[in-house]
Amino acid sequence: MIWDLHVHVAGVGSQGSGNYLSPAFRRSLACRLFMRQLGLSARALNEPDCDRRIARFIVDQLNASEVDRAVLLAFDAAYRDDGTRDDDRTRMVADNDFVADLASSHNKLLFGASVHPYRRDALTELERLIERGACLVKWLPGAQNIRPDDARCFAFYDALARHRVPLLCHTGGEHTLKAFPDTLNDPRLLAPALERGVTVIAAHCGTSLLLHERSYFRAWKEMALRHERLYGDISAFGVITRIWRLRSMLKTPGLSAKLVYGSDFPVSPMPLSCIGRIQLRRALQLRQVRNPFDQAVQMMRAAGVPQEVFARAEQLLRIPASKKQELAAGMGRVAA
């Protein structure tokens, strides 16, 4: 089985959804690249069925791919320290109910919720979304203004631990949605979550994308080897600045067992940048793979990622009973 626990979706709030993209983000290069990856022009952001078209593309590509299950990630707004929503510094919102509805309608999809812990209704909203089938909670501290070691997060961690819902938290530098300092993405700030019994998946393993940026990889590595419940996802590792980290991670005793697969869709791998870790002929072949989910999987296979990394998410996620039944039925058909 191949599980992708890091798939993004976005929208502009068309057809009554709570999705949102800020005007500044709509004008950004990242947004244009995202739309191109979806086969849409920037003009589609102004069309009344924009959110539906984006969702349809993701579902169609996943259904045509070798990925068996994918976690579609909601994304909460930025909040101020007083618990009020900070619209001025919110770059994107992927509405929880929009994502939950989409996941419930397609058997390959699971719902990844996003709840800001400073919200005045944070615990109530978390409970509601768990009832809706949330398999994890996603944070990006440097975009949402979350300091993970703040005491305001502790009751939230207790609820996550009680329900056995893992936290997928961005670690390392951020570019696309950055609104607050990258120091908020330091994996060491996640220690209180681990101490309170939460399974934490550090997205990107604390690595940096650009060579001049501060890397938190060493901090993540030391913590992952020390904390039983700390993992790291290898989403967006198909680039030259991260692929060599991956090589050392796979060779480090005890560290390969802490890796979980994610694509970070719509981020695309860059096979030609990874020559030296993969062969030139294979890199050229990977560039021709049109399905973005298959391309990401095949890129990581070419880099030596073993099958257990692709399957590990199933052990970590809180899988709703309905999805477990679908999974069991699917496995039965395969066995037959």
Side-chain angles (χ1 to χ4, degrees):
M1 296 282 291
I2 299 174
W3 291 69
D4 183 343
L5 59 55
H6 200 136
V7 177
H8 293 287
V9 65
V12 298
S14 64
Q15 299 170 304
S17 80
N19 297 329
Y20 170 76
L21 294 177
S22 72
F25 182 72
R26 290 194 195 199
R27 295 191 297 269
S28 70
L29 174 62
C31 186
R32 292 197 297 273
L33 292 174
F34 174 73
M35 296 300 287
R36 187 172 71 179
Q37 180 77 330
L38 295 168
L40 300 173
S41 70
R43 292 190 299 273
L45 293 172
N46 300 314
E47 296 176 0
D49 63 345
C50 176
D51 292 15
R52 184 190 60 80
R53 291 176 66 186
I54 291 173
R56 185 74 259 165
F57 177 89
I58 294 171
V59 170
D60 287 347
Q61 293 298 307
L62 274 170
N63 283 339
S65 79
E66 62 180 315
V67 172
D68 295 289
R69 293 292 185 275
V71 180
L72 200 61
L73 300 173
F75 194 78
D76 205 355
Y79 278 75
R80 301 181 185 88
D81 289 344
D82 64 2
T84 58
R85 179 164 158 163
D86 189 347
D87 289 322
D88 291 339
R89 302 182 78 174
T90 294
R91 303 286 185 262
M92 182 182 95
V93 173
D95 181 64
N96 278 296
D97 288 303
F98 174 83
V99 178
D101 288 343
L102 192 57
S104 67
S105 302
H106 300 279
N107 67 344
K108 275 196 175 186
L109 293 180
L110 288 92
F111 167 39
S114 183
V115 181
H116 198 296
Y118 298 176
R119 287 174 56 153
R120 295 169 183 173
D121 65 344
L123 295 179
T124 302
E125 180 70 352
L126 176 61
E127 295 285 344
R128 183 181 77 84
L129 296 175
I130 289 173
E131 285 292 320
R132 290 226 58 190
C135 68
L136 59 73
V137 166
K138 173 66 161 66
W139 288 354
L140 203 170
Q144 295 170 305
N145 188 32
I146 301 170
R147 185 174 175 89
D149 66 346
D150 192 295
R152 286 172 292 181
C153 301
F154 292 177
F156 196 90
Y157 294 149
D158 291 340
L160 290 178
R162 184 170 65 255
H163 289 287
R164 298 184 180 180
V165 175
L167 175 65
L168 174 64
C169 187
H170 180 102
T171 56
E174 165 61 16
H175 302 89
T176 305
L177 298 173
K178 181 177 180 178
F180 300 90
D182 277 345
T183 51
L184 295 175
N185 302 326
D186 186 336
R188 290 170 291 194
L189 301 180
L190 293 164
L194 295 164
E195 291 163 0
R196 300 179 91 89
V198 181
T199 294
V200 177
I201 304 165
H204 318 301
C205 303
T207 57
S208 58
L209 181 61
L210 304 178
L211 292 175
H212 69 275
E213 294 177 316
R214 181 177 180 180
S215 172
Y216 294 95
F217 172 74
R218 186 183 297 274
W220 171 81
K221 177 181 177 180
E222 292 174 353
M223 290 180 69
L225 293 173
R226 187 168 70 250
H227 290 277
E228 179 184 358
R229 293 188 179 90
L230 180 61
Y231 295 81
D233 86 16
I234 55 172
S235 60
F237 262 68
V239 294
I240 188 171
T241 49
R242 287 180 170 143
I243 200 73
W244 293 100
R245 290 287 193 192
L246 178 60
R247 183 181 186 182
S248 69
M249 292 155 72
L250 293 173
K251 289 184 174 182
T252 302
L255 205 57
S256 181
K258 292 303 191 78
L259 302 182
V260 190
Y261 174 70
S263 64
D264 205 17
F265 176 88
V267 175
S268 299
M270 302 175 66
L272 290 180
S273 77
C274 300
I275 294 171
R277 185 66 187 97
I278 63 174
Q279 296 180 345
L280 173 60
R281 180 179 179 183
R282 186 63 182 128
L284 292 171
Q285 291 171 341
L286 287 166
R287 290 192 71 204
Q288 302 306 311
V289 178
R290 295 300 171 219
N291 186 293
F293 297 101
D294 284 346
Q295 185 187 49
V297 167
Q298 292 174 31
M299 177 72 204
M300 290 297 97
R301 279 207 195 107
V305 174
Q307 176 57 31
E308 54 265 29
V309 174
F310 294 104
R312 184 160 290 129
E314 184 176 1
Q315 306 166 21
L316 306 180
L317 301 176
R318 179 188 179 274
I319 304 173
S322 60
K323 294 293 183 179
K324 285 183 179 179
Q325 292 170 359
E326 291 173 358
L327 182 59
M331 291 298 289
R333 287 192 294 270
V334 171

